[in-house]
Amino acid sequence: MITAAQLRAARALLGIDQKKLAELSGVSLPTIQRMEASEGNVRGVIETLTKVVEALNGAGVELLGENARSESGGRGVRMRRPGPPNPTT
């Protein structure tokens, strides 16, 4: 599963707009816009989701699921559950 927030973050990491992601994935711009506007997990046709994920992977973004480890190293961003505030800040 991919979330709308992951999709937006992945694009931001790559420095591309929705139109460029549509071109890279072979998915229409309105579909990308709809995916990014959704709440929580992106829903849609599996083949379409697969195209988008493969395009992001091919561009260098590794999408991580809940509790997944990154085996390839490199820098990245990951959402975490909010914890208690850090008293040192």
Side-chain angles (χ1 to χ4, degrees), residues 27-72:
V27 172
S28 72
L29 177 58
T31 298
I32 299 294
Q33 292 169 332
R34 191 170 41 255
M35 292 170 93
E36 288 193 8
S38 64
E39 295 283 327
N41 289 333
V42 174
R43 294 184 180 158
V45 177
I46 296 297
E47 291 81 16
T48 302
L49 294 171
T50 300
K51 286 180 180 181
V52 172
V53 169
E54 287 176 351
L56 293 170
N57 286 339
V61 171
E62 180 182 6
L63 298 168
L64 301 173
E66 189 71 23
N67 298 318
R69 292 181 48 165
S70 174
E71 301 297 331
S72 61

Side-chain angles (χ1 to χ4, degrees), residues 10-32:
R11 270 195 321 98
L13 285 170
L14 294 171
I16 61 173
D17 60 14
Q18 291 175 329
K19 183 178 178 184
K20 183 64 177 179
L21 179 56
E23 292 170 5
L24 290 172
S25 63
V27 172
S28 72
L29 177 58
T31 298
I32 299 294

